[in-house]
Amino acid sequence: MALKHTTPSAPAPSASDTTPYQHIVRDVLAQARPLMERVAEATRMSLLTRQDQARTPGEHNAMHEARQQLSRLTSVMGERYPDALRKALDQEAAQNEEKPTRSLFTVHFDDLELMDEAQINDSVERARARQVLISAVEGPLADLDALVCAARGLARVQPEHNPLRPEVFLQALQTVVSQMQVTPQVRHDWMGPMAQALGTELRGLYLAQIDRLKLSGVQPVGYAMRQADGQVVYVAPTEGGASPGFAADNDLSTVEGHADSLLTLDRLRRLLLGEFSENPAPTSAPTHTPSPHSDESFADQFAREFDNPNQLPPIDPPATDFAATVPAAFEALQAMNQVGHMMERLGGQRPQQVGSSTEGSPAAPSRKHSGGLGEALSMEVVALMVDNIARDGRLLWPVQQFIRALEPALIQLAVADPRFFSHKEHPARRLLQDITDRSLAFNSPEATGFQSFMRSLMNIAGPLATATIDGHDDFEHVLQQLHAKWAEKDQQRKQERQRAIEALQHAEQRHLLAARISRDLSLRPDFGKVPDEISRFLLGPWSQVMAQARLTDTTRSADPGRYEELVDALIWSTQPALTRANTGQLARLLPKLLAKLREGLASIDYPAARTEAVFELLMELHQQAFKPGPRVATKPAAPPPQPPAVAQPAPLEDDDPWVAPSEAKESGYVDISQSPVSESAELVPESTSTTNGLATLPHLASSAPLAPLAVGTWVNLQVAGQWERTQLSWIGSQGQLFLFTSASGRTQSMTLRLLERLFHQGAVQVLTEQTVVDGALDAVAQAAMRNSVESRL
């Protein structure tokens, strides 16, 4: 279930934020038509050069046709480009507020099966054109990002909030080109030189806008730089006011590949579709790089690799059956209780960056094989996937190493069962997903429960590293054993979490019913005759009391507890003009009234301190009834002038749910008035400290809206000044209450209002917007895209 939003508390900047920004957008749109015409003219000249240099009649005729069609349609494209650019800018602004996860210029691994050859070619062409643009404008774009974000009032650079990115111009160009009635070949011949010409134009446009912003007095803000290990640090501009670098999350230049890679986007799609399955599966395990430690048991290798994390020798699968038990040496290692010491040694270590080319990595299989192209591609995809998982900064180093140790088994499986890539529910993919996802519960090797988690992995899944894999059954067996082992540990925490969920569900149901009751009370004709404090009390706490009575009633009474009947008495008792006429009735009513009020408030554990002012006001109003009032006029007097209308207290529906102290204790509820980070908290936006996977984290305030969260999402939550790794376990049916649970079973619950506040103050950091395995496979698709682009350059 996804988090539901009301109005974002910190919306993305709009196009009307600042005058310099407005001027830039208007200026760019005004220049759109001549820009398109210059791009078309430069493309026409490029086509003419290629026509003159053509070596075959076919190429000569193709360039001639493309040039003629371009000359014929230049004016039409010039007319349509400004409108296409305006729509692209509007779409970009709308997408920024919704924080989309998909991009026109990226391809996702699990989408490839659904794409045909033409869509693959279009994707490669888009990526190639984007790459040309990025190369042309990289430096100026970084500086423009820093200035535009400053002009929009952002505290740091967020490139997604610069709508003048090259992708926007390219999207508008491709929209216009797609509207032209020409052949696909002509459009293909246009796009290469058009991208080069657009890059030249954008570079000049960016430089001009940079000068314009600086002349307007805009100073660049700090810039976000992505480091080699995937971490992002925020740095200030250089002395000259220029941003130090360009960091695009989905830039193909950041996706490394092989110089001699077989992997392209089309081949990857064909692999997923099973088009290479006609190649016979090998009868034995694939050949691997020779290992100097081939006689070692898995336990000895695992321990040695942990002692020397900078090297990971390959593991040749021995000719043993998977049913073999855990090696005796590993049993001895456990008996000696060495696992804890191993983790302790790993506490302060960070792995050196593994080279992106798995061809040269120790665990990579040899490319000298006889299994055909399908086997070679399977081996390469597995090697890339494992390398991407093992370099994911969200995983602790022992988990990264363990995934690397499974690479030989995964390679055997991929060769024997290519469905491993295409089926998300394949046991091997689920095993990788469950291991990596569960490991996110720990933010350091010293975290409670991590040692036990690693021991279960080595006991149950460890033998896979040295097994001969024949199919998915081996992984299914391991997956079932791990789930059974984890279920033992989860049972007690599951019961505690269920109690917390039930407490919050009751609070939510009470709040929804109380909101309806408060709306009905606000419509009473006599409701406007009582003081505002009494109105707020009836619409708030007393509506909760009435709702609680109805939820817990087993007698099917129309007014359980007679709390609704009390409303009539309370409204009458707060009007001295009425009670003076019958002080005897008031005297008889007061003891019962006050006792019933306290009884009702006690039923929801409502703190007496929060109603003290209401009871004092009631006493004052009741005392006025026993004092002499003004003389009653014998003749009707003219009505006194009416005071200006005062807004009545609003019904309860827009307020946060009331969580009783017992419910708060059961669920670890954090009251917004007692949140760990106050509204005026000083945040440190430019410091970063990492030890083994975010053991300590900085405050990173965010002005972007909180993206929808799904149950199962891991976050880092600041609790009592310390960072805690915790998982979103439950979201209320109205999207207003959230429950988080840590690996130790500790629960924290809060309202949407508090969650958004903490996110904007940097006390909540989302860790898993995408799963580790899905991210690793998408990186494989990006590597295939990069190889496809380079093969066509």
Side-chain angles (χ1 to χ4, degrees):
M1 177 178 177
L3 179 154
K4 298 178 182 178
H5 280 288
T6 52
T7 303
S9 58
S14 65
S16 58
D17 288 344
T18 58
T19 300
Y21 176 81
Q22 286 179 300
H23 289 333
I24 285 180
V25 173
R26 284 200 295 264
D27 187 44
V28 167
L29 289 173
Q31 297 179 41
R33 176 164 185 165
L35 181 147
M36 180 70 244
E37 292 173 345
R38 289 195 298 272
V39 167
E41 177 60 22
T43 301
R44 192 183 68 81
M45 296 303 298
S46 177
L47 292 172
L48 178 60
T49 301
R50 291 178 61 186
Q51 178 182 338
D52 294 340
Q53 297 174 349
R55 297 182 178 180
T56 65
E59 183 182 0
H60 182 276
N61 292 337
M63 294 301 104
H64 177 73
E65 173 69 12
R67 186 170 60 85
Q68 278 196 327
Q69 294 287 6
L70 185 59
S71 298
R72 180 176 65 87
L73 296 170
T74 294
S75 61
V76 178
M77 288 192 285
E79 290 175 0
R80 296 187 181 184
Y81 189 71
D83 185 58
L85 182 58
R86 182 181 294 105
K87 290 179 179 178
L89 287 168
D90 292 342
Q91 180 182 354
E92 188 71 17
Q95 286 179 343
N96 275 340
E97 295 185 3
E98 298 171 3
K99 290 185 71 66
T101 58
R102 301 268 168 162
S103 169
L104 181 66
F105 300 95
T106 58
V107 173
H108 296 268
F109 187 89
D110 289 324
D111 293 341
L112 286 174
E113 278 189 284
L114 306 177
M115 301 174 69
D116 57 26
E117 187 175 354
Q119 290 173 313
I120 291 289
N121 290 334
D122 288 344
S123 297
V124 173
E125 287 301 323
R126 283 197 301 267
R128 179 188 177 191
R130 180 183 181 276
Q131 192 73 356
V132 170
L133 287 183
I134 293 296
S135 299
V137 302
E138 183 172 347
L141 177 59
D143 294 334
L144 184 64
D145 282 342
L147 289 164
V148 167
C149 288
R152 303 190 74 176
L154 298 175
R156 57 183 175 85
V157 171
Q158 301 176 60
E160 67 273 13
H161 288 306
N162 176 13
L164 304 183
R165 298 195 308 279
E167 294 92 337
V168 178
F169 291 87
L170 179 57
Q171 180 179 338
L173 175 64
Q174 291 176 324
T175 298
V176 170
V177 169
S178 68
Q179 296 170 352
M180 301 300 103
Q181 299 299 316
V182 296
T183 65
Q185 182 60 47
V186 168
R187 284 196 292 268
H188 172 79
D189 292 335
W190 282 355
M191 284 310 300
M194 275 187 168
Q196 293 177 342
L198 181 60
T200 301
E201 290 293 328
L202 288 185
R203 184 176 182 87
L205 184 149
Y206 288 167
L207 291 172
Q209 299 306 327
I210 288 170
D211 292 340
R212 182 173 185 170
L213 284 169
K214 287 182 177 179
L215 289 174
S216 300
V218 177
Q219 296 295 322
V221 294
Y223 202 81
M225 293 190 69
R226 187 174 298 280
Q227 297 178 313
D229 62 357
Q231 300 293 329
V232 174
V233 295
Y234 300 95
V235 295
T238 57
E239 184 176 350
S243 299
F246 177 74
D249 286 345
N250 57 359
D251 185 359
L252 288 179
S253 64
T254 65
V255 182
E256 309 221 8
H258 302 274
D260 60 342
S261 176
L262 296 173
L263 185 66
T264 63
L265 209 57
D266 181 63
R267 286 174 177 168
L268 181 56
R269 180 185 67 90
R270 292 171 61 194
L271 178 67
L272 295 179
L273 292 173
E275 294 184 9
F276 298 114
S277 60
E278 68 276 4
N279 294 327
T283 57
S284 60
T287 305
H288 299 283
T289 306
S291 169
H293 303 279
S294 58
D295 295 332
E296 286 184 308
S297 69
F298 169 71
D300 292 336
Q301 292 177 12
F302 203 80
R304 172 177 47 74
E305 289 151 11
F306 272 8
D307 285 334
N308 187 14
N310 295 331
Q311 298 178 1
L312 180 61
I315 302 174
D316 287 335
T320 57
D321 198 0
F322 175 68
T325 58
V326 178
F330 185 58
E331 292 178 350
L333 179 68
Q334 286 186 300
M336 294 167 59
N337 196 26
Q338 293 297 306
V339 177
H341 298 295
M342 185 189 307
M343 297 305 155
E344 183 178 355
R345 291 197 301 273
L346 285 169
Q349 297 179 5
R350 294 285 294 176
Q352 294 184 0
Q353 289 300 310
V354 181
S356 59
S357 176
T358 56
E359 193 70 57
S361 64
S366 170
R367 290 283 289 277
K368 297 178 181 180
H369 53 80
S370 57
L373 180 59
E375 180 176 322
L377 286 172
S378 296
M379 295 166 67
E380 185 168 346
V381 171
V382 169
L384 279 172
M385 178 194 69
V386 169
D387 191 54
N388 290 327
I389 294 176
R391 290 191 291 117
D392 194 307
R394 294 173 291 180
L395 301 181
L396 296 176
W397 170 238
V399 180
Q400 293 174 340
Q401 283 293 77
F402 188 84
I403 296 298
R404 285 196 183 278
L406 295 181
E407 182 176 341
L410 293 170
I411 288 177
Q412 294 180 71
L413 174 70
V415 172
D417 184 9
R419 294 177 305 165
F420 164 64
F421 298 119
S422 57
H423 289 201
K424 293 195 73 171
E425 293 303 312
H426 191 285
R429 280 188 67 171
R430 287 170 53 206
L431 178 65
L432 289 175
Q433 182 57 58
D434 290 353
I435 288 175
T436 54
D437 187 67
R438 192 174 181 89
S439 75
L440 295 178
F442 311 103
N443 59 0
S444 75
E446 292 79 23
T448 302
F450 181 70
Q451 184 178 140
S452 174
F453 169 73
M454 285 303 303
R455 188 179 290 113
S456 68
L457 288 188
M458 291 186 285
N459 265 336
I460 299 172
L464 282 173
T466 56
T468 299
I469 305 300
D470 297 320
H472 71 273
D473 290 343
D474 301 329
F475 289 87
E476 180 70 44
H477 179 64
V478 168
L479 187 63
Q480 292 175 357
Q481 285 188 306
L482 275 178
H483 284 176
K485 181 67 175 179
W486 292 339
E488 296 174 7
K489 298 181 178 298
D490 290 345
Q491 188 58 37
Q492 182 179 359
R493 290 197 290 268
K494 183 178 180 180
Q495 294 174 354
E496 295 173 354
R497 183 169 63 247
Q498 187 59 37
R499 287 197 298 269
I501 291 174
E502 290 173 356
L504 292 174
Q505 285 176 331
H506 185 81
E508 182 182 52
Q509 291 170 359
R510 183 178 58 234
H511 181 74
L512 293 175
L513 181 55
R516 292 199 295 270
I517 292 173
S518 70
R519 284 196 299 270
D520 293 341
L521 290 178
S522 67
L523 298 176
R524 291 175 56 121
D526 57 354
F527 200 72
K529 299 177 181 179
V530 299
D532 286 349
E533 291 84 349
I534 305 300
S535 297
R536 281 191 287 270
F537 172 77
L538 290 173
L539 295 179
W542 201 250
S543 294
Q544 298 277 0
V545 169
M546 294 169 64
Q548 175 75 6
R550 294 183 188 182
L551 287 176
T552 57
D553 177 54
T554 59
T555 65
R556 298 186 179 181
S557 169
D559 181 18
R562 301 178 67 183
Y563 295 131
E564 185 174 359
E565 178 184 328
L566 179 137
V567 175
D568 295 324
L570 181 63
I571 291 178
W572 176 80
S573 74
T574 57
Q575 301 178 65
L578 298 179
T579 54
R580 285 194 187 101
N582 199 340
T583 55
Q585 180 180 347
L586 178 63
R588 291 189 298 273
L589 173 66
L590 286 182
K592 298 178 182 179
L593 178 67
L594 296 177
K596 201 67 175 177
L597 286 172
R598 292 191 173 92
E599 173 194 310
L601 294 171
S603 71
I604 61 170
D605 294 335
Y606 205 80
R610 298 180 67 167
T611 57
E612 185 176 339
V614 173
F615 277 86
E616 289 179 356
L617 177 60
L618 282 176
M619 291 178 61
E620 181 181 340
L621 292 172
H622 295 157
Q623 288 172 0
Q624 290 181 23
F626 297 98
K627 297 178 181 179
R631 236 171 114 182
V632 180
T634 56
K635 295 194 296 187
Q642 294 295 322
V646 178
Q648 293 295 324
L652 189 65
E653 53 193 331
D654 294 330
D655 292 344
D656 286 335
W658 160 250
V659 179
S662 59
E663 297 162 342
K665 182 178 180 181
E666 195 72 65
S667 64
Y669 183 72
V670 182
D671 192 287
I672 194 166
S673 63
Q674 301 171 344
S675 61
V677 181
S678 67
E679 292 282 7
S680 59
E682 296 245 343
L683 304 180
V684 185
E686 294 185 2
S687 64
T688 302
S689 174
T690 58
T691 56
N692 271 312
L694 301 178
T696 60
L697 293 170
H699 286 92
L700 293 177
S702 173
S703 60
L706 175 64
L709 301 179
V711 170
T713 300
W714 289 97
V715 303
N716 289 305
L717 175 65
Q718 190 186 38
V719 180
Q722 299 294 322
W723 286 100
E724 184 173 26
R725 182 70 54 80
T726 186
Q727 187 179 37
L728 180 57
S729 306
W730 174 83
I731 304 175
S733 61
Q734 303 301 305
Q736 295 298 312
L737 283 173
F738 301 85
L739 178 71
F740 296 88
T741 310
S742 70
S744 63
R746 172 187 170 96
T747 58
Q748 297 283 325
S749 62
M750 63 189 68
T751 62
L752 172 61
R753 197 189 312 270
L754 177 57
L755 179 62
E756 288 184 330
R757 178 202 287 186
L758 296 179
F759 173 75
H760 295 308
Q761 294 174 336
V764 169
Q765 297 177 346
V766 180
L767 194 67
T768 53
E769 293 181 352
Q770 185 183 37
T771 65
V772 172
V773 174
D774 286 348
L777 290 173
D778 280 352
V780 171
Q782 286 297 94
M785 172 74 83
R786 179 178 183 272
N787 293 336
S788 299
V789 169
E790 289 183 345
S791 69
R792 300 189 186 188
L793 290 176

